[in-house]
C-alpha cells in the first residue's frame, strides 16, 4: 500500500508549440516518473500542469487544483523537477516551503535541487 500520494507539479512559462503538451512538460513528466520508479511506497495521484503560465505568482489553475487536493487530503507529497517549476517568486515559494509544507505535513521533493523534506 502506498504511503505517499503524489501530486506531480509541472510548469512551463511559454508554450513551445501547438501540441496538447509542450516538450518541456513531457520531459519534466518523464524525469519525475523515472525518479519515482525507485520508490515502492509512492503512488502518483495526479499530474497538475500549468503549461504556458508564469511562475511569478501562484494564481495558476494547475497549482490551485493541487492545493485543493492538498487541503482535501488527497495529496500528501509534491514532486517537481526543480524549484523554479514551483515558482519564480522566491518569497512566495519560500513561504510555501516553510509554512504550507509543515502545516499539511507534506513531503516535498525537488529532484534537480536535491531537496527532500523527509530525508
Amino acid at each position: 500500500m502506498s504511503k505517499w500520494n503524489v501530486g506531480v507539479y509541472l510548469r512551463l512559462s511559454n508554450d513551445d508549440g501547438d501540441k496538447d503538451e509542450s516538450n518541456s512538460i513531457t520531459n519534466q513528466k518523464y524525469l519525475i516518473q523515472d525518479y519515482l520508479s525507485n520508490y515502492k511506497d509512492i503512488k502518483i495521484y495526479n499530474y497538475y500542469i500549468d503549461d504556458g503560465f508564469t511562475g511569478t505568482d501562484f494564481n495558476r489553475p494547475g497549482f490551485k487544483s493541487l492545493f485543493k487536493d492538498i487541503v482535501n487530503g488527497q495529496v500528501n507529497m509534491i514532486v517537481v523537477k526543480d524549484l523554479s517549476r514551483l515558482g519564480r517568486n522566491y518569497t512566495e515559494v519560500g513561504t510555501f516551503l516553510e509554512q504550507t509544507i509543515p502545516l499539511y505535513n507534506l513531503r516535498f521533493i525537488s529532484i534537480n535541487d536535491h531537496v527532500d523534506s523527509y530525508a
Side-chain angles (χ1 to χ4, degrees), residues 31-32 35 39 78-84 97 107-119:
L31 173 85
I32 292 170
Y35 179 86
Y39 295 89
I78 302 167
V79 179
V80 295
K81 173 189 170 194
D82 57 50
L83 288 171
S84 70
L97 294 174
R107 181 176 182 181
F108 178 82
I109 292 178
S110 175
I111 296 170
N112 288 350
D113 299 306
H114 307 287
V115 172
D116 184 342
S117 63
Y118 269 57

Side-chain angles (χ1 to χ4, degrees), residues 18 22 65 71 91:
D18 59 357
S22 70
S65 180
V71 171
T91 302

